[in-house]
Amino acid sequence: MHYDNRPIGVFDSGVGGLTVLKTLSQLLPDESFVYYGDSLHAPYGEKSRQEILTLSKKAVRYLLDKNVKALVLACNTATSTTKAELMRLYPNIPIFGIEPALKPAVKDKHKHILVLATPLTLKLEKFQKFQYQLNQYMEQTTIHVLPCPGLANAIEKDVIAPGRRETEIFLDELLKPYRRVPVDAVVLGCTHYPLIKDSIKKYFNEPEVYDGYTGLGRHLKTTLEHAKKLADNRNTQTITFLSSDQQLVESGLYNQVFDAYDHTEGSFQ
Ligand code: DGL
């Protein structure tokens, strides 16, 4: 039996990818992880494609230096802008990404699906095409697409400096036009948003919330299994938290967010 006990690298623009990491670490309990958040340059969602590519390449090289066996882009924005290019540049390492989980929401036959994501994720051809394809097969479903400029940044800052109330103010303004829409499903197309899942749910009548992380976890597991790169089951899981912002590493903030975030409830204390 072949095993590979090297860690899996997980990357996001900041604290958002910790929500993905939580699910992955529970679905793959024998695997170790190295998390890298680029909080110094967050948010990514309103940057240009070129800027995100430059930052993502730097992050990938940083994680490869940590001897990771696979990479997870735990960021919808980075996935839609750079995944294809990163796969071309680093063909020897499996690269996974995360995309808005619109398909499962449509499959579950909801009537009003609200997709929340960064402006860049929703603007790109990839999402537009996807939405167009799904629209053709739906009769009773309406997809509402809402770009949320500033929301990831507000979450990032609120997490870093607890006590700020920016996120609530942002959310209130953003969701106002949908207050009277009977939204029964919300797709969280940005990995920062599960950190405020509770507040989003409260806005509507307990909608079903989709983030797509379980699917990603299963895909990661089967891919590693086929490549004979799973860690052996005596491997003790370790998780290392790194950031482009040294102060965040020293303060242990990522670690605290990771511990406090309850991914099944989507609440964060
Ligand atoms: N967490 C990221 C995403 O999933 C990016 C948020 C941001 O930096 O704008 O899209």
Side-chain angles (χ1 to χ4, degrees), residues 148-177:
C148 306
L151 186 58
N153 193 34
I155 296 170
E156 181 86 19
K157 297 283 180 300
D158 279 0
V159 167
I160 291 171
R164 271 172 39 115
R165 305 276 306 270
E166 282 306 292
T167 306
E168 276 173 41
I169 299 165
F170 252 96
L171 202 60
D172 203 52
E173 276 306 308
L174 275 167
L175 299 181
K176 228 176 233 167

Side-chain angles (χ1 to χ4, degrees), residues 12-13 43-45 75-77 118 121 152 189-192:
D12 177 48
S13 64
Y44 277 14
C75 175
N76 293 261
T77 312
T118 67
T121 299
C190 167
T191 56
H192 279 67

